[in-house]
Amino acid sequence: MDDLEDILGDVDWSTAVFDNGLTLEGTLRQEAERLKKCIEDEIQKYYDSYSPIMYSRTGAFQNSVEIQDMIDMDIDVGQMSIIVGFNDDAYHLSLFGGDKGYVPALINDGWSWKNQPQTPIYRFTYFDGTGFFERAVAEFLADNPYGVTVDIIK
């Protein structure tokens, strides 16, 4: 039996057209855009959930989701991948001069100051997290006609 590399090796995947009228690359990019939209929708839900009093939002994080240009193809395992990630706008300066925080992880997983004040302030000194990565992926996978798999790499 031929392995996938032998079967697919001579196919030019940038020009092969499928039933949806798109190339495999075009379909993957279309699905990456759809996943990006799911992530952006979850970020917007977070922003809509409250208005901060202790600080002002810059809005940079809302525009930080991006799709990498490069597509990785691994014929040995029959897989193509593209990365939907965050650019440098996903890093937030500390209000107190500390290290920059990676906003996607902070909003998804939550945070807590090491030395809480006597009266902790929810969403400022601590936050439980939203799980927006998992919700965005679940929304994406709920309508997944191409069987795309999603790995969350934190």
Side-chain angles (χ1 to χ4, degrees):
M1 173 179 236
D2 293 332
D3 65 9
L4 190 57
E5 184 173 8
D6 292 338
I7 296 169
L8 303 179
D10 295 331
V11 175
D12 181 357
W13 291 106
S14 63
T15 59
V17 178
F18 294 88
D19 291 343
N20 63 3
L22 296 174
T23 62
L24 181 57
E25 177 182 347
T27 300
L28 183 60
R29 289 193 185 282
Q30 172 186 284
E31 291 302 284
E33 284 290 342
R34 197 168 66 80
L35 177 58
K36 178 184 176 198
K37 172 103 172 67
C38 291
I39 293 168
E40 290 172 335
D41 288 349
E42 288 298 322
I43 291 169
Q44 189 59 51
K45 288 176 189 174
Y46 169 76
Y47 275 89
D48 290 345
S49 70
Y50 84 106
S51 295
I53 323 170
M54 303 297 289
Y55 62 94
S56 297
R57 290 181 175 146
T58 66
F61 175 55
Q62 289 174 292
N63 300 312
S64 69
V65 185
E66 64 182 19
I67 300 169
Q68 280 191 352
D69 289 334
M70 188 179 84
I71 291 179
D72 184 36
M73 181 181 285
D74 187 340
I75 292 176
D76 291 333
V77 296
Q79 179 177 332
M80 288 179 67
S81 62
I82 191 167
I83 294 176
V84 179
F86 297 90
N87 63 30
D88 289 344
D89 288 338
Y91 290 87
H92 184 284
L93 293 173
S94 168
L95 294 174
F96 308 103
D99 294 335
K100 288 183 176 180
Y102 187 56
V103 178
L106 292 170
I107 292 174
N108 191 73
D109 302 328
W111 66 82
S112 180
W113 288 8
K114 291 177 186 171
N115 300 312
Q116 287 289 327
Q118 188 171 7
T119 307
I121 303 167
Y122 188 64
R123 293 194 191 232
F124 186 62
T125 66
Y126 75 100
F127 179 61
D128 297 328
T130 65
F132 82 92
F133 285 139
E134 293 80 6
R135 283 200 321 274
V137 169
E139 179 184 339
F140 174 84
L141 294 175
D143 177 23
N144 188 11
Y146 304 107
V148 174
T149 59
V150 178
D151 294 326
I152 299 174
I153 302 169
K154 296 182 185 179

